[in-house]
Amino acid sequence: MAEITTNIDLIAEALRQGKLAAIPTETVYGLAGNALDVNAVAAIFEAKQRPSFDPLIMHLASAEAVSDYVTDFPAPLRALADAIWPGPLTLLLPRRALVPDLVTSGLERVAVRVPGHPLALGLLQSLDFPLAAPSANPFGYISPTLAEHVQAQLGDRIPLILDGGACSVGIESTIVGMEEGMGDSEPCVYRLGGLSVSEIENIIGPVTVKAHSSSQPAAPGSLEQHYAPGTAFLLDDTGTLAERLQQQGKYIAALRFQAALPAIDATAQRVLSLKGDLREAAARLFAAMRELDALGADTIVAEPLPEEGLGLAINDRLRRAAAQRTDC
Ligand code: TXA
Ligand code: MG
């Protein structure tokens, strides 16, 4: 099992020695290693059992530090960074040669982000290298939002977990880059996440959203089947689904937005936000999915949330959880 600690110095020393550590961010826990040390980066892929074509986000202490690793910082993206970092935003920027190919999977752009969690920021400030960190889950599973989630799934493969409590945002960062258009380029959202499209548009004006392109995705987190729990997972009207499945004698668990379903035992349900707050729902989403997954039910039924603000990113994760798994 991994050692769970709140000691940043211990974690920093391990990272300096090329070891891995799971670290909290405001979005989800990441599995971190020195981004400039290819052995550490390779160990991340190994621990996650992640296909090596999937590139990693480089975490930095500040927007200023980014210029060491990129050749250009287009004005709209810089404006977003200034407004949001530290926060749930990842930017795709043209890389410098010192960024290892293993981090970008050989792509021309590197993903960079300044995380908002105080422990992650404190750690990055104490290091003289950036941290490559994918979400700290085995490939294809739900991202962890508690140190215990990491321990349960990767504890036998990594030495250390920095415990920063529950992640306040709860879903992964929003990924934005410049997309070449007809003669010029414009900002484009590649992954819906903890920063909503409307918040982005309030800062830099209209953006395109390409979060669902699946062939050769710019952000492979957009692949289907990516956030799947182990239990069968259905996304639709939960009342109708529950009635039908209960008639078949199935043991049903339910994931609901604001209120539990009367027809199902309360212990087999998770309500994401009694007051209908999408931020609160996002922060609880992955922990609720894990708890329902652990019940050993035949099927989890989930209802879609309102298609607005963070509801778009939450529904995106729910759709992926419900997508038929074909690769595992
Ligand atoms: O909130 C987050 O972003 C968390 C925390 C730990 O920072 N990290 C995270 O990493 O979600 P990961 O590896 O699970 O998802 C990162 C996504 C992947 O879909 C990856 O393909 C995409 O970002 N990505 C990374 N580098 C890229 C690049 N150079 N070009 C395009 N997509 C990239
Ligand atoms: Mg991930």
Side-chain angles (χ1 to χ4, degrees):
M1 285 284 106
E3 178 182 351
I4 300 184
T5 177
T6 55
N7 184 340
I8 292 191
D9 296 336
L10 188 73
I11 300 286
E13 196 43 42
L15 290 165
R16 283 187 202 105
Q17 289 169 12
K19 294 184 184 148
L20 305 186
I23 62 166
T25 80
E26 80 285 23
T27 57
V28 300
Y29 277 72
L31 177 55
N34 180 348
L36 306 180
D37 173 352
V38 287
N39 292 317
V41 177
I44 295 175
F45 287 115
E46 199 174 21
K48 256 194 84 104
Q49 297 182 298
R50 168 180 258 199
S52 55
F53 57 75
D54 209 1
L56 304 178
I57 298 174
M58 226 169 61
H59 296 71
L60 297 145
S62 69
E64 286 61 47
V66 168
S67 55
D68 292 345
Y69 304 100
V70 307
T71 55
D72 187 26
F73 205 151
L77 302 187
R78 179 71 211 213
L80 271 184
D82 288 343
I84 302 300
W85 281 350
L89 167 73
T90 292
L91 296 175
L92 298 183
L93 296 169
R95 61 187 274 211
R96 285 191 197 277
L98 88 163
V99 179
D101 277 331
L102 207 48
V103 171
T104 63
S105 297
L107 296 171
E108 292 301 305
R109 295 188 290 189
V110 59
V112 291
R113 147 167 145 79
V114 179
H117 194 290
L119 288 188
L121 262 187
L123 179 65
L124 286 164
Q125 282 158 1
S126 74
L127 297 171
D128 58 5
F129 50 83
L131 291 174
S135 52
N137 51 285
F139 181 72
Y141 201 76
I142 309 166
S143 296
T145 55
L146 285 173
E148 290 72 23
H149 295 162
V150 183
Q151 180 72 293
Q153 291 195 302
L154 293 178
D156 55 353
R157 295 173 187 213
I158 58 171
L160 288 166
I161 302 171
L162 180 60
D163 189 354
C167 301
S168 60
V169 173
I171 50 176
E172 301 84 352
S173 60
T174 302
I175 302 181
V176 184
M178 301 301 284
E179 180 81 2
E180 300 305 323
M182 299 205 281
D184 64 357
S185 61
E186 55 185 23
C188 177
V189 173
Y190 295 102
R191 177 174 73 178
L192 298 170
L195 176 67
S196 70
V197 173
S198 52
E199 286 171 281
I200 292 172
E201 294 190 326
N202 285 342
I203 300 162
I204 57 168
V207 295
T208 45
V209 178
K210 285 203 172 175
H212 294 288
S213 52
S214 60
S215 64
Q216 288 295 339
S222 56
L223 287 174
E224 283 194 359
Q225 321 151 356
H226 204 79
Y227 299 90
T231 313
F233 193 95
L234 297 177
L235 177 67
D236 207 333
D237 180 78
T238 42
T240 313
L241 282 175
E243 197 183 319
R244 176 157 53 85
L245 292 165
Q246 280 178 327
Q247 275 167 7
Q248 297 169 13
K250 295 266 167 69
Y251 169 20
I252 306 302
L255 183 64
R256 298 265 300 169
F257 180 31
Q258 285 190 259
L261 275 177
I264 297 180
D265 193 287
T267 57
Q269 300 193 59
R270 292 295 178 277
V271 173
L272 293 175
S273 174
L274 287 170
K275 55 180 194 261
D277 180 282
L278 290 167
R279 276 178 200 273
E280 184 177 44
R284 291 195 177 158
L285 179 68
F286 289 150
M289 286 169 75
R290 279 173 190 269
E291 287 160 17
L292 294 177
D293 200 16
L295 293 176
D298 295 313
T299 306
I300 300 169
V301 299
E303 64 176 350
L305 271 61
E307 278 281 324
E308 63 191 34
L310 288 183
L312 295 168
I314 295 169
N315 287 339
D316 170 76
R317 303 306 188 271
L318 293 175
R319 274 193 289 273
R320 288 177 209 297
Q324 199 75 38
R325 285 215 251 175
T326 56
D327 67 341
C328 35

